[in-house]
Amino acid sequence: MKDIITLGIESSCDETSVAVVRNGREVLSNIINSQISIHERFGGVVPEIASRNHVEAISDVTEKALKEAKIAYSDIDHIACTYGPGLVGALLVGVAYAKGLSYAIQKPLVATNHIEGHIAANYITHEELEPPFLCLVISGGHTHLVYIKDYTKFEILGKTRDDAIGEAFDKVARVIGLGYPGGPKVDKLAKEGKACIELPKTHIDGLDFSFSGIKTAIINLHHKNPDINKADLCASFEKYVTDMLIENALKSAEQIGVKTIALAGGVSANSYIRQNFIDLENKGYKIYYPEPILCTDNAAMIASAGYYRFINGEQADLTLNAVPNLKIE
Ligand code: KG4
Ligand code: ZN
């Protein structure tokens, strides 16, 4: 069978990324231009600044991706670009660029869901992984328990009712003065602490999550006692959210009868969460997670998800628009 070369384009938040992927799984290049240092001083992503920086970066990032992959525009079989969910202005940069390129080089365009991209990051790291499996998508914008029935068939089993888990990590870090983005900083500091601080339980029926209560509890604890041990606070917070993730992941795995659980999204880079999921292998589960560079936003994962849509016969036309609150189904 002829190889299929996908050009992936990602611009949903603060990373401008373009990648070249062969047959959905083999990364030939994955250029990521992160804006973290630009947004750091504001303590979070400023949408307007993100859009401007995508506009400035996207052509160069594309050129670099082609050069590193040692391919020409004519070698591309199709383009896959993120059209949601994400920041509307940021998404529009990638979507407009992808449409223009698709028209100019006369190659098909595939509209790609960012959450499907995070899930597909696992296909790149693990060549043996195939649906069906359960995936916990935990990132700065999403907390979803997804049943992957097939490469393009998904069912949401549970999701957050309020904040995304990554938002909670970032907020906790900000309150205790660790800076942005907080996830990796909480991860590091927690290693020096003990999960000894009692935190109030939030009870949610079914398979949904809630992170606003724990976020507020941590803020209150820190305000009441500014000298509280920050490492212990981080360790206690991590244990609390990990217990919640594991409980619902196990409940849903049992419900759908699968023994394969994959992690995805920026928060899946968290070492404590990973270790606790890996420990489930002792109970007969097979655990997958992407390599660190594929956990946070990148275009290789978008190319992979787009490839499976493409071979399923799906294509977008030039009326494609950004869909900031796009769901996965
Ligand atoms: O997937 P991602 O790059 O963007 C979204 O699609 O949202 O995820 C970014 C999130 C941020 O909230 C960041 O703090 C968190 O992932 N993150 C982590 C770690 N590395 C990144 N959270 C906990 N531990 C980490 N090691
Ligand atoms: Zn993401």
Side-chain angles (χ1 to χ4, degrees), residues 170-222:
D170 292 339
K171 184 75 197 225
V172 166
R174 195 180 321 155
V175 167
I176 62 174
L178 299 182
Y180 173 85
K185 295 181 168 118
V186 170
D187 190 350
K188 193 159 169 240
L189 188 58
K191 291 195 172 91
E192 294 165 26
K194 287 191 296 297
C196 56
I197 299 172
E198 187 96 12
L199 295 166
K201 275 255 170 271
T202 317
H203 182 76
I204 304 278
D205 284 333
L207 297 168
D208 280 349
F209 302 99
S210 165
F211 297 102
S212 66
I214 176 70
K215 192 182 79 181
T216 313
I218 298 271
I219 294 169
N220 290 342
L221 274 171
H222 183 255

Side-chain angles (χ1 to χ4, degrees), residues 15 114 118 139-142 166-167 169-170 181-184 187 265-267 269-270 295-297:
E15 265 91 28
H114 182 81
H118 275 300
S139 74
H142 324 282
E167 270 175 72
F169 267 95
D170 292 339
D187 190 350
V267 180
N270 184 272
C295 284
T296 45
D297 292 349

Side-chain angles (χ1 to χ4, degrees), residues 116 123 131 148-154 305 307-310 312 314 329:
E116 279 181 43
Y123 297 137
I148 289 79
K149 296 178 170 174
D150 205 339
Y151 288 104
T152 59
K153 285 201 185 71
F154 306 88
Y307 163 83
Y308 287 106
R309 293 272 169 197
F310 181 68
N312 196 40
E314 297 177 34
E329 30 204 5

Side-chain angles (χ1 to χ4, degrees), residues 199-306:
L199 295 166
K201 275 255 170 271
T202 317
H203 182 76
I204 304 278
D205 284 333
L207 297 168
D208 280 349
F209 302 99
S210 165
F211 297 102
S212 66
I214 176 70
K215 192 182 79 181
T216 313
I218 298 271
I219 294 169
N220 290 342
L221 274 171
H222 183 255
H223 284 165
K224 264 190 226 146
N225 176 12
D227 297 325
I228 196 163
N229 184 305
K230 290 179 184 173
D232 288 349
L233 204 56
C234 288
S236 306
F237 167 75
E238 276 190 352
K239 179 174 183 333
Y240 182 97
V241 296
T242 305
D243 287 351
M244 198 190 291
L245 296 175
I246 297 231
E247 187 182 326
N248 284 9
L250 289 183
K251 263 199 250 167
S252 39
E254 207 160 286
Q255 192 175 304
I256 58 178
V258 300
K259 284 282 190 187
T260 304
I261 303 176
L263 303 176
V267 180
S268 70
N270 184 272
S271 48
Y272 182 83
I273 295 176
R274 275 189 180 193
Q275 191 51 53
N276 277 273
F277 272 90
I278 291 167
D279 290 347
L280 294 179
E281 299 216 1
N282 298 327
K283 293 188 178 165
Y285 287 92
K286 182 82 190 111
I287 305 297
Y288 290 96
Y289 47 86
E291 60 191 285
I293 193 68
L294 298 175
C295 284
T296 45
D297 292 349
N298 68 89
M301 68 184 199
I302 300 303
S304 178

